[in-house]
Amino acid sequence: MKLKSLSAIILGAVMFSTSAAAAEQIWLSGVDPVVQADRGERVASDFMTLFSPNADWHRAAAAIQVFKLSTQFLHRSSDADLAAVIRDLRRRHIALAMEAEILVATTRCGNGVPGYTTAAVIKKAADRVAAQGGEIAYVAFDEPMTWGHFAHSGCQYKTEELVDNIAPNIRTLKAAFPHVQFGDIKPVTDQTPGRFDEILRFAELFKAKTGEPLTFLQADLIWQSNWRPQLMVWKTRLHAAGLSYGVVIDGDPADRNDLAWTSHAVQRYRELVADPAISPDAFIIQSWQPRPTHMLPDGNRDTLTSVIVQAVAH
Protein backbone atom coordinates (compact mmCIF):
# COMPACT_ATOMS: atom_id res chain seq x y z
CA MET A 1 0.00 0.00 0.00
CA LYS A 2 2.83 2.37 0.89
CA LEU A 3 4.63 1.46 -2.35
CA LYS A 4 1.52 2.18 -4.37
CA SER A 5 1.05 5.53 -2.64
CA LEU A 6 4.68 6.46 -3.25
CA SER A 7 4.36 5.53 -6.91
CA ALA A 8 1.27 7.65 -7.21
CA ILE A 9 3.05 10.59 -5.61
CA ILE A 10 6.03 10.24 -7.95
CA LEU A 11 3.77 9.92 -10.99
CA GLY A 12 1.81 12.96 -9.88
CA ALA A 13 4.99 14.96 -9.41
CA VAL A 14 6.25 14.00 -12.85
CA MET A 15 2.94 14.90 -14.44
CA PHE A 16 2.88 18.23 -12.61
CA SER A 17 6.47 19.00 -13.61
CA THR A 18 5.78 18.12 -17.23
CA SER A 19 2.63 20.23 -17.25
CA ALA A 20 4.39 23.19 -15.65
CA ALA A 21 7.26 22.99 -18.13
CA ALA A 22 4.83 22.83 -21.04
CA ALA A 23 2.81 25.76 -19.66
CA GLU A 24 5.69 28.24 -19.55
CA GLN A 25 6.65 28.72 -23.17
CA ILE A 26 9.49 31.09 -24.07
CA TRP A 27 9.53 33.00 -27.37
CA LEU A 28 12.30 35.20 -28.75
CA SER A 29 12.02 37.91 -31.39
CA GLY A 30 14.33 40.76 -32.37
CA VAL A 31 14.46 43.49 -34.99
CA ASP A 32 15.62 41.83 -38.20
CA PRO A 33 17.71 43.53 -40.92
CA VAL A 34 14.75 43.91 -43.30
CA VAL A 35 12.75 45.86 -40.73
CA GLN A 36 15.87 47.83 -39.78
CA ALA A 37 16.34 48.84 -43.41
CA ASP A 38 12.67 49.81 -43.72
CA ARG A 39 13.07 52.08 -40.69
CA GLY A 40 16.26 53.63 -42.00
CA GLU A 41 18.38 52.40 -39.11
CA ARG A 42 22.09 52.34 -39.88
CA VAL A 43 23.34 50.37 -36.87
CA ALA A 44 25.05 47.18 -38.03
CA SER A 45 22.90 44.24 -36.95
CA ASP A 46 24.20 40.93 -35.67
CA PHE A 47 20.74 39.38 -36.15
CA MET A 48 21.81 36.89 -38.83
CA THR A 49 24.79 35.80 -36.70
CA LEU A 50 22.24 34.06 -34.47
CA PHE A 51 21.82 31.42 -37.13
CA SER A 52 25.46 30.43 -37.42
CA PRO A 53 26.24 26.98 -35.98
CA ASN A 54 28.69 28.35 -33.40
CA ALA A 55 26.77 31.51 -32.51
CA ASP A 56 27.28 32.46 -28.87
CA TRP A 57 23.76 31.95 -27.48
CA HIS A 58 23.73 28.27 -26.55
CA ARG A 59 22.17 28.78 -23.11
CA ALA A 60 19.49 31.12 -24.42
CA ALA A 61 18.70 28.89 -27.40
CA ALA A 62 18.28 25.88 -25.14
CA ALA A 63 15.71 27.77 -23.07
CA ILE A 64 13.38 28.91 -25.86
CA GLN A 65 10.75 27.00 -27.79
CA VAL A 66 9.69 29.55 -30.42
CA PHE A 67 11.50 32.14 -32.56
CA LYS A 68 9.28 34.78 -34.18
CA LEU A 69 10.05 36.52 -37.47
CA SER A 70 8.40 39.52 -39.07
CA THR A 71 6.18 39.38 -42.15
CA GLN A 72 8.73 41.67 -43.80
CA PHE A 73 11.62 39.24 -43.25
CA LEU A 74 9.68 36.23 -44.48
CA HIS A 75 8.55 38.18 -47.53
CA ARG A 76 11.69 40.11 -48.54
CA SER A 77 14.83 38.64 -46.99
CA SER A 78 17.31 37.00 -49.32
CA ASP A 79 16.81 33.32 -50.08
CA ALA A 80 20.17 32.62 -48.43
CA ASP A 81 19.19 34.40 -45.19
CA LEU A 82 15.78 32.71 -45.01
CA ALA A 83 17.34 29.30 -45.65
CA ALA A 84 19.92 29.91 -42.91
CA VAL A 85 17.23 30.80 -40.38
CA ILE A 86 15.06 27.79 -41.21
CA ARG A 87 18.01 25.40 -41.20
CA ASP A 88 19.38 26.62 -37.88
CA LEU A 89 16.05 26.72 -36.06
CA ARG A 90 15.39 23.16 -37.20
CA ARG A 91 18.81 22.08 -35.94
CA ARG A 92 18.10 23.69 -32.58
CA HIS A 93 14.55 22.22 -32.41
CA ILE A 94 13.02 25.69 -32.13
CA ALA A 95 9.64 26.32 -33.74
CA LEU A 96 9.17 29.15 -36.24
CA ALA A 97 6.51 31.80 -35.65
CA MET A 98 5.38 34.65 -37.87
CA GLU A 99 4.27 38.04 -36.61
CA ALA A 100 1.69 38.63 -39.27
CA GLU A 101 0.48 41.87 -40.71
CA ILE A 102 -2.73 39.96 -41.27
CA LEU A 103 -5.14 42.72 -42.33
CA VAL A 104 -5.54 43.35 -46.07
CA ALA A 105 -5.24 46.99 -47.11
CA THR A 106 -7.85 48.21 -49.59
CA THR A 107 -8.27 51.30 -51.75
CA ARG A 108 -10.54 52.63 -48.99
CA CYS A 109 -8.21 52.23 -46.01
CA GLY A 110 -5.24 50.51 -44.43
CA ASN A 111 -2.36 51.78 -46.55
CA GLY A 112 0.45 53.00 -44.32
CA VAL A 113 -1.27 51.74 -41.15
CA PRO A 114 0.45 49.12 -38.96
CA GLY A 115 -0.91 45.59 -39.20
CA TYR A 116 -1.95 45.84 -42.88
CA THR A 117 -0.45 44.20 -45.95
CA THR A 118 -1.72 42.44 -49.06
CA ALA A 119 -2.86 38.89 -49.74
CA ALA A 120 0.02 38.57 -52.19
CA VAL A 121 2.57 39.33 -49.45
CA ILE A 122 1.15 36.65 -47.15
CA LYS A 123 1.08 34.13 -50.01
CA LYS A 124 4.66 34.86 -51.02
CA ALA A 125 5.90 34.66 -47.41
CA ALA A 126 4.23 31.27 -46.94
CA ASP A 127 5.50 29.99 -50.28
CA ARG A 128 9.08 31.05 -49.51
CA VAL A 129 9.13 29.29 -46.15
CA ALA A 130 7.63 26.13 -47.65
CA ALA A 131 10.09 26.19 -50.56
CA GLN A 132 12.99 26.16 -48.07
CA GLY A 133 11.50 23.16 -46.28
CA GLY A 134 10.36 25.24 -43.32
CA GLU A 135 7.12 25.23 -41.40
CA ILE A 136 5.37 28.11 -39.68
CA ALA A 137 4.11 26.67 -36.41
CA TYR A 138 2.51 29.85 -35.01
CA VAL A 139 1.05 32.98 -36.55
CA ALA A 140 0.71 35.91 -34.13
CA PHE A 141 -1.46 38.67 -35.58
CA ASP A 142 -0.13 42.23 -35.36
CA GLU A 143 -3.00 43.75 -33.37
CA PRO A 144 -5.84 43.61 -35.95
CA MET A 145 -8.53 44.65 -33.46
CA THR A 146 -6.45 47.69 -32.53
CA TRP A 147 -5.67 48.81 -36.06
CA GLY A 148 -8.80 47.50 -37.75
CA HIS A 149 -11.54 48.17 -35.20
CA PHE A 150 -10.63 50.44 -32.27
CA ALA A 151 -8.07 52.92 -33.68
CA HIS A 152 -9.25 56.06 -35.43
CA SER A 153 -6.30 55.76 -37.83
CA GLY A 154 -7.47 52.30 -38.97
CA CYS A 155 -10.45 51.19 -40.98
CA GLN A 156 -12.82 50.95 -37.99
CA TYR A 157 -14.33 47.74 -39.26
CA LYS A 158 -17.09 46.05 -37.36
CA THR A 159 -15.65 42.94 -35.76
CA GLU A 160 -17.49 40.72 -38.24
CA GLU A 161 -16.06 42.72 -41.14
CA LEU A 162 -12.57 42.53 -39.69
CA VAL A 163 -12.69 38.72 -39.54
CA ASP A 164 -13.99 38.62 -43.12
CA ASN A 165 -11.04 40.81 -44.15
CA ILE A 166 -8.39 38.46 -42.73
CA ALA A 167 -10.11 35.13 -43.51
CA PRO A 168 -8.49 34.69 -46.98
CA ASN A 169 -5.03 35.04 -45.43
CA ILE A 170 -5.93 32.43 -42.83
CA ARG A 171 -6.90 30.00 -45.58
CA THR A 172 -3.62 30.67 -47.39
CA LEU A 173 -1.51 29.99 -44.31
CA LYS A 174 -3.52 26.92 -43.30
CA ALA A 175 -3.17 25.43 -46.79
CA ALA A 176 0.60 25.84 -46.67
CA PHE A 177 1.01 24.72 -43.04
CA PRO A 178 -1.81 22.39 -41.94
CA HIS A 179 -0.71 22.31 -38.29
CA VAL A 180 -0.27 26.06 -37.85
CA GLN A 181 -1.78 27.71 -34.74
CA PHE A 182 -3.23 31.21 -34.88
CA GLY A 183 -3.13 33.79 -32.12
CA ASP A 184 -3.32 37.51 -31.50
CA ILE A 185 -1.34 40.32 -29.92
CA LYS A 186 -3.18 43.07 -28.06
CA PRO A 187 -1.91 46.24 -26.36
CA VAL A 188 -2.60 46.82 -22.69
CA THR A 189 -2.71 50.52 -21.83
CA ASP A 190 -4.82 52.90 -19.77
CA GLN A 191 -7.12 53.13 -22.80
CA THR A 192 -7.80 49.38 -23.16
CA PRO A 193 -10.02 48.50 -20.15
CA GLY A 194 -13.51 47.64 -21.34
CA ARG A 195 -12.32 46.20 -24.66
CA PHE A 196 -11.94 42.62 -23.51
CA ASP A 197 -15.51 41.48 -24.27
CA GLU A 198 -15.10 42.53 -27.89
CA ILE A 199 -11.67 40.89 -28.08
CA LEU A 200 -13.20 37.58 -26.95
CA ARG A 201 -16.00 38.12 -29.45
CA PHE A 202 -13.33 38.44 -32.13
CA ALA A 203 -12.01 35.02 -31.08
CA GLU A 204 -15.50 33.50 -31.31
CA LEU A 205 -16.17 35.03 -34.72
CA PHE A 206 -12.75 33.96 -35.93
CA LYS A 207 -13.58 30.32 -35.18
CA ALA A 208 -17.08 30.60 -36.65
CA LYS A 209 -15.96 32.23 -39.90
CA THR A 210 -12.62 30.49 -40.56
CA GLY A 211 -13.17 27.12 -38.90
CA GLU A 212 -9.88 27.62 -37.02
CA PRO A 213 -9.57 28.28 -33.29
CA LEU A 214 -7.66 31.20 -31.92
CA THR A 215 -5.31 29.38 -29.56
CA PHE A 216 -3.40 32.20 -27.83
CA LEU A 217 -3.55 35.88 -26.96
CA GLN A 218 -0.47 37.91 -26.05
CA ALA A 219 -0.47 41.17 -24.10
CA ASP A 220 1.82 43.97 -25.27
CA LEU A 221 2.09 46.11 -22.15
CA ILE A 222 2.69 49.81 -21.79
CA TRP A 223 4.47 49.29 -18.50
CA GLN A 224 3.75 52.78 -17.20
CA SER A 225 0.00 52.12 -17.45
CA ASN A 226 -2.31 50.37 -14.97
CA TRP A 227 -1.72 46.92 -16.46
CA ARG A 228 -1.88 44.61 -13.43
CA PRO A 229 -5.70 44.60 -12.95
CA GLN A 230 -6.15 44.03 -16.67
CA LEU A 231 -3.79 41.04 -16.68
CA MET A 232 -5.70 39.45 -13.81
CA VAL A 233 -8.81 39.62 -15.97
CA TRP A 234 -6.92 38.39 -19.03
CA LYS A 235 -5.59 35.29 -17.31
CA THR A 236 -8.92 34.26 -15.81
CA ARG A 237 -11.05 34.90 -18.87
CA LEU A 238 -8.60 33.58 -21.46
CA HIS A 239 -8.18 30.31 -19.60
CA ALA A 240 -11.97 30.04 -19.24
CA ALA A 241 -12.22 30.52 -23.02
CA GLY A 242 -9.57 27.87 -23.68
CA LEU A 243 -6.88 30.28 -24.88
CA SER A 244 -3.24 30.42 -23.83
CA TYR A 245 -2.22 33.71 -22.24
CA GLY A 246 1.12 35.36 -23.03
CA VAL A 247 2.92 38.60 -22.18
CA VAL A 248 5.54 40.47 -24.22
CA ILE A 249 8.62 41.23 -22.13
CA ASP A 250 10.66 44.28 -23.14
CA GLY A 251 12.35 47.44 -21.92
CA ASP A 252 11.39 51.07 -22.48
CA PRO A 253 11.95 53.20 -25.61
CA ALA A 254 13.44 55.88 -23.36
CA ASP A 255 16.04 53.60 -21.75
CA ARG A 256 19.37 55.41 -21.89
CA ASN A 257 21.44 52.39 -22.96
CA ASP A 258 21.22 48.69 -23.74
CA LEU A 259 21.91 47.61 -20.17
CA ALA A 260 19.05 49.73 -18.86
CA TRP A 261 16.74 48.12 -21.44
CA THR A 262 17.72 44.54 -20.63
CA SER A 263 17.61 45.22 -16.88
CA HIS A 264 14.06 46.49 -17.23
CA ALA A 265 13.08 43.40 -19.22
CA VAL A 266 14.57 40.99 -16.67
CA GLN A 267 12.89 42.84 -13.81
CA ARG A 268 9.53 42.63 -15.56
CA TYR A 269 9.88 38.92 -16.24
CA ARG A 270 10.59 38.30 -12.55
CA GLU A 271 7.70 40.48 -11.45
CA LEU A 272 5.26 38.52 -13.57
CA VAL A 273 6.54 35.05 -12.78
CA ALA A 274 6.43 35.76 -9.05
CA ASP A 275 2.69 36.51 -9.04
CA PRO A 276 0.42 33.49 -9.73
CA ALA A 277 -2.52 35.80 -10.45
CA ILE A 278 -0.85 37.24 -13.55
CA SER A 279 2.01 34.85 -14.43
CA PRO A 280 1.52 33.93 -18.10
CA ASP A 281 1.66 30.68 -20.03
CA ALA A 282 4.10 32.22 -22.51
CA PHE A 283 6.77 34.91 -22.23
CA ILE A 284 7.64 36.65 -25.48
CA ILE A 285 11.09 38.21 -25.10
CA GLN A 286 10.96 40.81 -27.85
CA SER A 287 12.11 44.22 -28.98
CA TRP A 288 10.56 46.39 -31.68
CA GLN A 289 12.89 49.16 -30.55
CA PRO A 290 16.44 50.20 -31.57
CA ARG A 291 17.61 48.79 -28.23
CA PRO A 292 19.25 46.54 -27.41
CA THR A 293 21.66 47.11 -30.29
CA HIS A 294 23.01 43.54 -30.19
CA MET A 295 21.48 40.09 -30.05
CA LEU A 296 24.73 38.39 -28.98
CA PRO A 297 26.48 37.09 -26.98
CA ASP A 298 24.07 35.74 -24.37
CA GLY A 299 26.79 35.97 -21.71
CA ASN A 300 26.83 39.77 -21.78
CA ARG A 301 24.15 41.52 -19.74
CA ASP A 302 23.17 44.07 -22.38
CA THR A 303 22.11 41.88 -25.33
CA LEU A 304 18.65 40.59 -26.20
CA THR A 305 19.61 36.94 -25.75
CA SER A 306 21.07 37.76 -22.33
CA VAL A 307 17.57 38.57 -21.10
CA ILE A 308 16.71 34.90 -21.49
CA VAL A 309 19.82 33.76 -19.65
CA GLN A 310 19.32 36.23 -16.80
CA ALA A 311 15.59 35.63 -16.43
CA VAL A 312 14.93 32.06 -17.54
CA ALA A 313 18.13 30.04 -17.79
CA HIS A 314 19.98 31.37 -14.72
Side-chain angles (χ1 to χ4, degrees), residues 5-246:
S5 298
L6 181 59
S7 299
I9 291 170
I10 293 171
L11 178 60
V14 171
M15 291 177 67
F16 176 82
S17 175
T18 302
S19 174
E24 188 178 295
Q25 191 180 55
I26 308 297
W27 294 37
L28 177 64
S29 185
V31 181
D32 62 66
V34 176
V35 170
Q36 277 194 315
D38 287 350
R39 299 194 318 203
E41 295 175 7
R42 298 182 180 180
V43 177
S45 172
D46 63 350
F47 182 90
M48 285 307 303
T49 308
L50 284 167
F51 309 104
S52 303
N54 296 319
D56 195 359
W57 65 302
H58 302 295
R59 291 179 65 193
I64 72 170
Q65 292 77 48
V66 183
F67 193 97
K68 184 171 63 170
L69 290 165
S70 69
T71 299
Q72 295 93 320
F73 185 89
L74 295 178
H75 177 227
R76 291 188 277 116
S77 63
S78 70
D79 288 345
D81 280 357
L82 182 60
V85 172
I86 290 170
R87 182 172 57 250
D88 196 62
L89 292 181
R90 184 189 301 117
R91 181 180 66 84
R92 297 180 188 273
H93 306 290
I94 297 172
L96 171 62
M98 172 186 190
E99 182 160 326
E101 295 178 304
I102 202 69
L103 286 161
V104 176
T106 69
T107 54
R108 181 172 73 88
C109 63
N111 288 300
V113 179
Y116 289 80
T117 188
T118 68
V121 166
I122 297 296
K123 178 70 163 59
K124 184 175 179 180
D127 288 347
R128 294 187 73 222
V129 172
Q132 296 290 351
E135 181 173 1
I136 298 175
Y138 301 94
V139 174
F141 305 152
D142 185 8
E143 304 183 359
M145 282 291 285
T146 298
W147 300 113
H149 177 73
F150 293 118
H152 293 298
S153 60
C155 296
Q156 295 186 293
Y157 288 122
K158 296 178 181 178
T159 305
E160 294 88 345
E161 296 172 329
L162 185 142
V163 176
D164 288 339
N165 175 285
I166 69 178
N169 284 339
I170 301 306
R171 290 192 290 270
T172 294
L173 291 162
K174 184 69 176 180
F177 310 107
H179 303 295
V180 65
Q181 294 185 44
F182 298 103
D184 204 356
I185 306 168
K186 290 285 183 286
V188 174
T189 73
D190 289 330
Q191 285 72 50
T192 54
R195 292 182 175 182
F196 203 75
D197 285 342
E198 198 62 23
I199 289 169
L200 287 181
R201 185 166 173 266
F202 167 77
E204 293 172 357
L205 286 167
F206 183 84
K207 175 66 183 297
K209 288 177 172 287
T210 69
E212 299 297 324
L214 209 65
T215 62
F216 61 89
L217 200 62
Q218 297 172 347
D220 178 17
L221 306 188
I222 300 301
W223 296 95
Q224 293 75 25
S225 68
N226 190 24
W227 50 266
R228 185 178 295 274
Q230 294 188 67
L231 289 193
M232 293 175 70
V233 173
W234 274 54
K235 182 166 186 174
T236 300
R237 295 193 65 186
L238 287 176
H239 284 177
L243 277 73
S244 173
Y245 146 66

Side-chain angles (χ1 to χ4, degrees), residues 244-267:
S244 173
Y245 146 66
V247 175
V248 176
I249 303 294
D250 57 5
D252 291 334
D255 283 329
R256 64 189 183 281
N257 55 46
D258 291 351
L259 184 58
W261 194 101
T262 58
S263 297
H264 263 137
V266 172
Q267 170 195 336

Side-chain angles (χ1 to χ4, degrees), residues 281-300:
D281 307 312
F283 292 91
I284 300 86
I285 312 297
Q286 178 164 8
S287 178
W288 290 280
Q289 303 159 16
R291 298 195 185 280
T293 54
H294 290 84
M295 302 288 293
L296 301 167
D298 67 6
N300 288 3

